[in-house]
Amino acid sequence: MVTVDSAALGQVLDSVELRVGIARRVALTAGDLLPIPSGSATLVYIVSGALSGHPPLTTGCRLDVDRAAQLVAVDDRPLSAALVSGDAFLTLGRATIALEAEADADLVVVDLEFSASATQLTALLPDPITVMSFDALEPAAAALAGSMGPAGPPSCPVRQGDPVICRMMAQTVLLSVIRAWAANGCAPAGWPSVSKDPFLDRVVEAIHEEPGRDWTVERLASIGAMSRSVFAERFRSAIGRSPADYVTEVRIDAAKRMLAGGRSVSETSRVLGYASDEGFSRAFRRRTGMTPSTWRAAQLTAVPA
């Protein structure tokens, strides 16, 4: 079984942030299709019934779960073609997929929209991810998933703060799916590696650990044991952006978490290494289209439209 370092897994999970997580309940009868278009990240939890995939779900990781003994083992037999009650399915939208009900099925379908850190996530994860026996591996998250989606009639009033709560619920279930896949032996050897380069991975880890540090190209290059010019070229080739742009992205993602948690704009700016609140506001607005104070207020007092 491939073992994933717990600290590395924690770093991956900490980097995942949703902008939107909208859950809907879908009831299918035998033969019905649930199309999932490319370009859309979607999480499906099977509450009841059985589904097959088009194209067939022949890749993934099959787990044998002994619920009584609480033992999990990776099964090297081909992945079952059918998803059944308690299984979870995640697609990042790289290809069009359709799920067909083999019998009457009750599903929770969550439409996901990631923050800017999605580029790192999509580089780390295969598509799709199928987690069989998710309800046994992550019972609390499975129970949460099973309760998502509108439970009442369409006239049921929407309560204040529902979008924020739904997004947090969706993020909890999503992180649990990724953890179940990675922590139980489904991840490939060497996972997670953002760059497939151990020297660059060391640099990326340092940026995430201390986003507020004064990260010059020279300092980052020294961590990667490279010259400035070689580092800049290798980083851009592997990560897809310049070191400075990546540092800014990590800082803004960290700022969103801090502001949503109630931190002030000034405190967030100071912790993340900005020389002034004005400089922080300009960087934040370029990435999000909003000032930090406006974004913070929207997160803390979200009211559905």
Side-chain angles (χ1 to χ4, degrees):
M1 176 184 292
V2 176
T3 301
V4 176
D5 179 77
S6 59
L9 177 57
Q11 181 178 319
V12 171
L13 297 181
D14 188 54
S15 72
V16 179
E17 181 182 1
L18 293 181
R19 292 184 62 244
V20 176
I22 302 175
R24 50 195 168 94
R25 205 84 179 202
V26 176
L28 301 178
T29 57
D32 285 350
L33 288 175
L34 173 67
I36 303 177
S38 61
S40 301
T42 306
L43 175 64
V44 179
Y45 177 69
I46 297 86
V47 179
S48 64
L51 304 170
S52 58
H54 299 280
L57 305 177
T58 56
T59 61
C61 183
R62 179 185 179 118
L63 299 172
D64 285 334
V65 181
D66 186 332
R67 298 173 187 251
Q70 296 185 330
L71 296 175
V72 180
V74 176
D75 191 332
D76 58 7
R77 291 177 295 167
L79 183 69
S80 171
L83 300 175
V84 298
S85 175
D87 292 347
F89 176 82
L90 170 67
T91 174
L92 299 175
R94 293 177 190 155
T96 299
I97 296 173
L99 299 177
E100 180 179 359
E102 295 189 351
D104 291 355
D106 181 19
L107 315 174
V108 172
V109 180
V110 188
D111 300 318
L112 306 173
E113 183 179 332
F114 294 95
S115 70
S117 61
T119 53
Q120 179 181 356
L121 178 71
T122 55
L124 288 172
L125 296 175
D127 189 14
I129 286 178
T130 303
V131 179
M132 294 180 163
S133 302
F134 178 67
D135 58 342
L137 297 166
E138 299 279 352
L144 180 63
S147 69
M148 294 175 67
S155 60
C156 181
V158 178
R159 293 177 295 176
Q160 186 176 26
D162 274 1
V164 175
I165 293 172
C166 289
R167 173 172 53 82
M168 293 174 67
M169 291 172 67
Q171 181 154 327
T172 298
V173 176
L174 171 65
L175 295 181
S176 298
V177 168
I178 296 172
R179 179 174 67 176
W181 170 82
N184 292 288
C186 292
W191 191 91
S193 173
V194 175
S195 65
K196 313 304 180 186
D197 181 324
F199 294 99
L200 289 181
D201 283 345
R202 189 188 309 165
V203 174
V204 169
E205 182 179 356
I207 294 171
H208 281 270
E209 286 182 350
E210 297 182 87
R213 189 172 179 181
D214 181 18
W215 289 119
T216 62
V217 174
E218 290 80 2
R219 182 167 290 162
L220 292 170
S222 68
I223 291 175
M226 304 175 217
S227 69
R228 185 182 187 279
S229 58
V230 169
F231 165 72
E233 182 178 351
R234 282 172 64 175
F235 191 97
R236 182 182 289 276
S237 176
I239 307 299
R241 73 210 75 172
S242 70
D245 192 52
Y246 189 82
V247 169
T248 299
E249 179 181 295
V250 172
R251 284 180 173 177
I252 298 305
D253 282 345
K256 290 177 180 179
R257 292 191 293 271
M258 293 174 67
L259 293 170
R263 300 279 195 101
S264 69
V265 172
S266 293
E267 181 184 6
T268 301
S269 171
R270 183 174 63 256
V271 169
L272 293 178
Y274 287 91
S276 67
D277 291 355
E278 291 75 16
F280 169 55
S281 294
R282 286 194 298 272
F284 192 94
R285 188 168 57 249
R286 280 196 298 269
R287 294 278 171 167
T288 66
M290 304 171 68
T291 64
S293 57
T294 301
W295 193 91
R296 179 180 184 272
Q299 295 299 303
L300 296 178
T301 61
V303 179

PDB file of all heavy atoms in Angstrom, residues 24-48:
ATOM      1  N   ARG A  24     -27.613  19.747  -4.722  1.00  0.00           N
ATOM      2  CA  ARG A  24     -28.992  19.498  -5.165  1.00  0.00           C
ATOM      3  C   ARG A  24     -29.273  18.007  -5.048  1.00  0.00           C
ATOM      4  O   ARG A  24     -28.374  17.177  -5.134  1.00  0.00           O
ATOM      5  CB  ARG A  24     -29.212  19.974  -6.602  1.00  0.00           C
ATOM      6  CG  ARG A  24     -28.165  19.491  -7.586  1.00  0.00           C
ATOM      7  CD  ARG A  24     -28.234  20.284  -8.903  1.00  0.00           C
ATOM      8  NE  ARG A  24     -27.072  20.042  -9.736  1.00  0.00           N
ATOM      9  CZ  ARG A  24     -26.997  19.138 -10.698  1.00  0.00           C
ATOM     10  NH1 ARG A  24     -28.071  18.371 -10.957  1.00  0.00           N
ATOM     11  NH2 ARG A  24     -25.920  18.993 -11.423  1.00  0.00           N
ATOM     12  N   ARG A  25     -30.512  17.702  -4.808  1.00  0.00           N
ATOM     13  CA  ARG A  25     -30.943  16.306  -4.686  1.00  0.00           C
ATOM     14  C   ARG A  25     -31.460  15.853  -6.041  1.00  0.00           C
ATOM     15  O   ARG A  25     -32.253  16.557  -6.678  1.00  0.00           O
ATOM     16  CB  ARG A  25     -32.046  16.205  -3.636  1.00  0.00           C
ATOM     17  CG  ARG A  25     -32.162  14.842  -2.999  1.00  0.00           C
ATOM     18  CD  ARG A  25     -31.188  14.708  -1.856  1.00  0.00           C
ATOM     19  NE  ARG A  25     -31.297  13.408  -1.221  1.00  0.00           N
ATOM     20  CZ  ARG A  25     -30.886  13.179   0.017  1.00  0.00           C
ATOM     21  NH1 ARG A  25     -30.342  14.136   0.731  1.00  0.00           N
ATOM     22  NH2 ARG A  25     -30.986  11.969   0.539  1.00  0.00           N
ATOM     23  N   VAL A  26     -31.021  14.690  -6.498  1.00  0.00           N
ATOM     24  CA  VAL A  26     -31.432  14.180  -7.801  1.00  0.00           C
ATOM     25  C   VAL A  26     -31.974  12.766  -7.619  1.00  0.00           C
ATOM     26  O   VAL A  26     -31.296  11.899  -7.059  1.00  0.00           O
ATOM     27  CB  VAL A  26     -30.252  14.165  -8.798  1.00  0.00           C
ATOM     28  CG1 VAL A  26     -30.685  13.530 -10.116  1.00  0.00           C
ATOM     29  CG2 VAL A  26     -29.722  15.574  -9.026  1.00  0.00           C
ATOM     30  N   ALA A  27     -33.183  12.542  -8.087  1.00  0.00           N
ATOM     31  CA  ALA A  27     -33.790  11.204  -8.068  1.00  0.00           C
ATOM     32  C   ALA A  27     -33.835  10.671  -9.490  1.00  0.00           C
ATOM     33  O   ALA A  27     -34.334  11.340 -10.400  1.00  0.00           O
ATOM     34  CB  ALA A  27     -35.195  11.269  -7.479  1.00  0.00           C
ATOM     35  N   LEU A  28     -33.281   9.480  -9.687  1.00  0.00           N
ATOM     36  CA  LEU A  28     -33.263   8.849 -11.001  1.00  0.00           C
ATOM     37  C   LEU A  28     -34.030   7.536 -10.952  1.00  0.00           C
ATOM     38  O   LEU A  28     -33.996   6.831  -9.943  1.00  0.00           O
ATOM     39  CB  LEU A  28     -31.822   8.568 -11.445  1.00  0.00           C
ATOM     40  CG  LEU A  28     -30.859   9.752 -11.548  1.00  0.00           C
ATOM     41  CD1 LEU A  28     -29.469   9.247 -11.947  1.00  0.00           C
ATOM     42  CD2 LEU A  28     -31.353  10.789 -12.540  1.00  0.00           C
ATOM     43  N   THR A  29     -34.684   7.222 -12.032  1.00  0.00           N
ATOM     44  CA  THR A  29     -35.285   5.896 -12.175  1.00  0.00           C
ATOM     45  C   THR A  29     -34.380   5.077 -13.098  1.00  0.00           C
ATOM     46  O   THR A  29     -33.522   5.621 -13.794  1.00  0.00           O
ATOM     47  CB  THR A  29     -36.692   5.976 -12.767  1.00  0.00           C
ATOM     48  OG1 THR A  29     -36.636   6.660 -14.027  1.00  0.00           O
ATOM     49  CG2 THR A  29     -37.613   6.757 -11.836  1.00  0.00           C
ATOM     50  N   ALA A  30     -34.549   3.766 -13.110  1.00  0.00           N
ATOM     51  CA  ALA A  30     -33.694   2.877 -13.897  1.00  0.00           C
ATOM     52  C   ALA A  30     -33.636   3.331 -15.350  1.00  0.00           C
ATOM     53  O   ALA A  30     -34.668   3.566 -15.979  1.00  0.00           O
ATOM     54  CB  ALA A  30     -34.201   1.445 -13.805  1.00  0.00           C
ATOM     55  N   GLY A  31     -32.412   3.500 -15.858  1.00  0.00           N
ATOM     56  CA  GLY A  31     -32.221   3.923 -17.241  1.00  0.00           C
ATOM     57  C   GLY A  31     -32.012   5.414 -17.405  1.00  0.00           C
ATOM     58  O   GLY A  31     -31.562   5.857 -18.470  1.00  0.00           O
ATOM     59  N   ASP A  32     -32.339   6.201 -16.388  1.00  0.00           N
ATOM     60  CA  ASP A  32     -32.128   7.650 -16.471  1.00  0.00           C
ATOM     61  C   ASP A  32     -30.635   7.969 -16.487  1.00  0.00           C
ATOM     62  O   ASP A  32     -29.820   7.258 -15.885  1.00  0.00           O
ATOM     63  CB  ASP A  32     -32.761   8.367 -15.284  1.00  0.00           C
ATOM     64  CG  ASP A  32     -34.271   8.450 -15.387  1.00  0.00           C
ATOM     65  OD1 ASP A  32     -34.806   8.126 -16.466  1.00  0.00           O
ATOM     66  OD2 ASP A  32     -34.915   8.831 -14.379  1.00  0.00           O
ATOM     67  N   LEU A  33     -30.283   9.077 -17.169  1.00  0.00           N
ATOM     68  CA  LEU A  33     -28.899   9.522 -17.252  1.00  0.00           C
ATOM     69  C   LEU A  33     -28.714  10.830 -16.500  1.00  0.00           C
ATOM     70  O   LEU A  33     -29.581  11.709 -16.541  1.00  0.00           O
ATOM     71  CB  LEU A  33     -28.480   9.726 -18.709  1.00  0.00           C
ATOM     72  CG  LEU A  33     -28.285   8.486 -19.577  1.00  0.00           C
ATOM     73  CD1 LEU A  33     -27.993   8.903 -21.016  1.00  0.00           C
ATOM     74  CD2 LEU A  33     -27.140   7.627 -19.032  1.00  0.00           C
ATOM     75  N   LEU A  34     -27.568  10.959 -15.820  1.00  0.00           N
ATOM     76  CA  LEU A  34     -27.163  12.214 -15.212  1.00  0.00           C
ATOM     77  C   LEU A  34     -25.912  12.683 -15.963  1.00  0.00           C
ATOM     78  O   LEU A  34     -24.810  12.199 -15.715  1.00  0.00           O
ATOM     79  CB  LEU A  34     -26.847  12.033 -13.727  1.00  0.00           C
ATOM     80  CG  LEU A  34     -26.257  13.269 -13.026  1.00  0.00           C
ATOM     81  CD1 LEU A  34     -27.293  14.387 -12.950  1.00  0.00           C
ATOM     82  CD2 LEU A  34     -25.744  12.913 -11.634  1.00  0.00           C
ATOM     83  N   PRO A  35     -26.058  13.622 -16.912  1.00  0.00           N
ATOM     84  CA  PRO A  35     -24.880  14.097 -17.655  1.00  0.00           C
ATOM     85  C   PRO A  35     -24.069  15.077 -16.810  1.00  0.00           C
ATOM     86  O   PRO A  35     -24.628  15.940 -16.123  1.00  0.00           O
ATOM     87  CB  PRO A  35     -25.502  14.787 -18.871  1.00  0.00           C
ATOM     88  CG  PRO A  35     -26.854  15.228 -18.411  1.00  0.00           C
ATOM     89  CD  PRO A  35     -27.309  14.231 -17.384  1.00  0.00           C
ATOM     90  N   ILE A  36     -22.756  14.945 -16.846  1.00  0.00           N
ATOM     91  CA  ILE A  36     -21.856  15.864 -16.150  1.00  0.00           C
ATOM     92  C   ILE A  36     -20.926  16.442 -17.202  1.00  0.00           C
ATOM     93  O   ILE A  36     -20.014  15.757 -17.680  1.00  0.00           O
ATOM     94  CB  ILE A  36     -21.049  15.153 -15.053  1.00  0.00           C
ATOM     95  CG1 ILE A  36     -22.009  14.483 -14.047  1.00  0.00           C
ATOM     96  CG2 ILE A  36     -20.137  16.134 -14.331  1.00  0.00           C
ATOM     97  CD1 ILE A  36     -21.291  13.687 -12.963  1.00  0.00           C
ATOM     98  N   PRO A  37     -21.128  17.689 -17.614  1.00  0.00           N
ATOM     99  CA  PRO A  37     -20.354  18.253 -18.724  1.00  0.00           C
ATOM    100  C   PRO A  37     -18.905  18.516 -18.344  1.00  0.00           C
ATOM    101  O   PRO A  37     -18.567  18.668 -17.160  1.00  0.00           O
ATOM    102  CB  PRO A  37     -21.098  19.562 -19.025  1.00  0.00           C
ATOM    103  CG  PRO A  37     -21.757  19.929 -17.728  1.00  0.00           C
ATOM    104  CD  PRO A  37     -22.119  18.635 -17.077  1.00  0.00           C
ATOM    105  N   SER A  38     -18.049  18.560 -19.349  1.00  0.00           N
ATOM    106  CA  SER A  38     -16.657  18.915 -19.104  1.00  0.00           C
ATOM    107  C   SER A  38     -16.586  20.377 -18.680  1.00  0.00           C
ATOM    108  O   SER A  38     -17.459  21.177 -18.997  1.00  0.00           O
ATOM    109  CB  SER A  38     -15.820  18.691 -20.370  1.00  0.00           C
ATOM    110  OG  SER A  38     -16.295  19.514 -21.428  1.00  0.00           O
ATOM    111  N   GLY A  39     -15.542  20.701 -17.951  1.00  0.00           N
ATOM    112  CA  GLY A  39     -15.368  22.060 -17.473  1.00  0.00           C
ATOM    113  C   GLY A  39     -16.055  22.344 -16.161  1.00  0.00           C
ATOM    114  O   GLY A  39     -15.920  23.442 -15.613  1.00  0.00           O
ATOM    115  N   SER A  40     -16.796  21.365 -15.629  1.00  0.00           N
ATOM    116  CA  SER A  40     -17.519  21.553 -14.382  1.00  0.00           C
ATOM    117  C   SER A  40     -17.045  20.536 -13.352  1.00  0.00           C
ATOM    118  O   SER A  40     -17.103  19.323 -13.610  1.00  0.00           O
ATOM    119  CB  SER A  40     -19.033  21.401 -14.591  1.00  0.00           C
ATOM    120  OG  SER A  40     -19.507  22.338 -15.530  1.00  0.00           O
ATOM    121  N   ALA A  41     -16.586  21.008 -12.223  1.00  0.00           N
ATOM    122  CA  ALA A  41     -16.210  20.111 -11.129  1.00  0.00           C
ATOM    123  C   ALA A  41     -17.473  19.707 -10.389  1.00  0.00           C
ATOM    124  O   ALA A  41     -18.279  20.561 -10.002  1.00  0.00           O
ATOM    125  CB  ALA A  41     -15.233  20.791 -10.187  1.00  0.00           C
ATOM    126  N   THR A  42     -17.654  18.403 -10.196  1.00  0.00           N
ATOM    127  CA  THR A  42     -18.892  17.890  -9.602  1.00  0.00           C
ATOM    128  C   THR A  42     -18.586  16.753  -8.648  1.00  0.00           C
ATOM    129  O   THR A  42     -17.779  15.877  -8.958  1.00  0.00           O
ATOM    130  CB  THR A  42     -19.851  17.385 -10.700  1.00  0.00           C
ATOM    131  OG1 THR A  42     -20.061  18.418 -11.668  1.00  0.00           O
ATOM    132  CG2 THR A  42     -21.189  16.968 -10.111  1.00  0.00           C
ATOM    133  N   LEU A  43     -19.240  16.777  -7.498  1.00  0.00           N
ATOM    134  CA  LEU A  43     -19.131  15.709  -6.508  1.00  0.00           C
ATOM    135  C   LEU A  43     -20.491  15.028  -6.399  1.00  0.00           C
ATOM    136  O   LEU A  43     -21.521  15.700  -6.275  1.00  0.00           O
ATOM    137  CB  LEU A  43     -18.729  16.297  -5.153  1.00  0.00           C
ATOM    138  CG  LEU A  43     -18.672  15.359  -3.951  1.00  0.00           C
ATOM    139  CD1 LEU A  43     -17.602  14.299  -4.147  1.00  0.00           C
ATOM    140  CD2 LEU A  43     -18.386  16.152  -2.677  1.00  0.00           C
ATOM    141  N   VAL A  44     -20.500  13.700  -6.475  1.00  0.00           N
ATOM    142  CA  VAL A  44     -21.743  12.934  -6.395  1.00  0.00           C
ATOM    143  C   VAL A  44     -21.632  11.948  -5.243  1.00  0.00           C
ATOM    144  O   VAL A  44     -20.649  11.200  -5.149  1.00  0.00           O
ATOM    145  CB  VAL A  44     -22.025  12.168  -7.702  1.00  0.00           C
ATOM    146  CG1 VAL A  44     -23.306  11.353  -7.587  1.00  0.00           C
ATOM    147  CG2 VAL A  44     -22.109  13.135  -8.891  1.00  0.00           C
ATOM    148  N   TYR A  45     -22.626  11.950  -4.369  1.00  0.00           N
ATOM    149  CA  TYR A  45     -22.703  10.951  -3.303  1.00  0.00           C
ATOM    150  C   TYR A  45     -23.962  10.122  -3.535  1.00  0.00           C
ATOM    151  O   TYR A  45     -25.063  10.669  -3.706  1.00  0.00           O
ATOM    152  CB  TYR A  45     -22.753  11.609  -1.923  1.00  0.00           C
ATOM    153  CG  TYR A  45     -22.904  10.601  -0.802  1.00  0.00           C
ATOM    154  CD1 TYR A  45     -21.865   9.730  -0.483  1.00  0.00           C
ATOM    155  CD2 TYR A  45     -24.098  10.504  -0.077  1.00  0.00           C
ATOM    156  CE1 TYR A  45     -21.998   8.793   0.526  1.00  0.00           C
ATOM    157  CE2 TYR A  45     -24.236   9.575   0.933  1.00  0.00           C
ATOM    158  CZ  TYR A  45     -23.189   8.718   1.234  1.00  0.00           C
ATOM    159  OH  TYR A  45     -23.329   7.775   2.234  1.00  0.00           O
ATOM    160  N   ILE A  46     -23.802   8.798  -3.554  1.00  0.00           N
ATOM    161  CA  ILE A  46     -24.932   7.904  -3.820  1.00  0.00           C
ATOM    162  C   ILE A  46     -25.598   7.552  -2.496  1.00  0.00           C
ATOM    163  O   ILE A  46     -25.040   6.812  -1.682  1.00  0.00           O
ATOM    164  CB  ILE A  46     -24.476   6.632  -4.568  1.00  0.00           C
ATOM    165  CG1 ILE A  46     -23.909   6.990  -5.942  1.00  0.00           C
ATOM    166  CG2 ILE A  46     -25.651   5.679  -4.755  1.00  0.00           C
ATOM    167  CD1 ILE A  46     -22.460   7.353  -5.961  1.00  0.00           C
ATOM    168  N   VAL A  47     -26.765   8.108  -2.280  1.00  0.00           N
ATOM    169  CA  VAL A  47     -27.518   7.834  -1.055  1.00  0.00           C
ATOM    170  C   VAL A  47     -28.147   6.449  -1.132  1.00  0.00           C
ATOM    171  O   VAL A  47     -28.133   5.681  -0.159  1.00  0.00           O
ATOM    172  CB  VAL A  47     -28.601   8.909  -0.834  1.00  0.00           C
ATOM    173  CG1 VAL A  47     -29.403   8.617   0.439  1.00  0.00           C
ATOM    174  CG2 VAL A  47     -27.962  10.295  -0.734  1.00  0.00           C
ATOM    175  N   SER A  48     -28.678   6.111  -2.292  1.00  0.00           N
ATOM    176  CA  SER A  48     -29.258   4.779  -2.503  1.00  0.00           C
ATOM    177  C   SER A  48     -29.261   4.484  -3.989  1.00  0.00           C
ATOM    178  O   SER A  48     -29.178   5.388  -4.825  1.00  0.00           O
ATOM    179  CB  SER A  48     -30.689   4.702  -1.942  1.00  0.00           C
ATOM    180  OG  SER A  48     -31.553   5.586  -2.642  1.00  0.00           O
TER     181      SER A  48
END
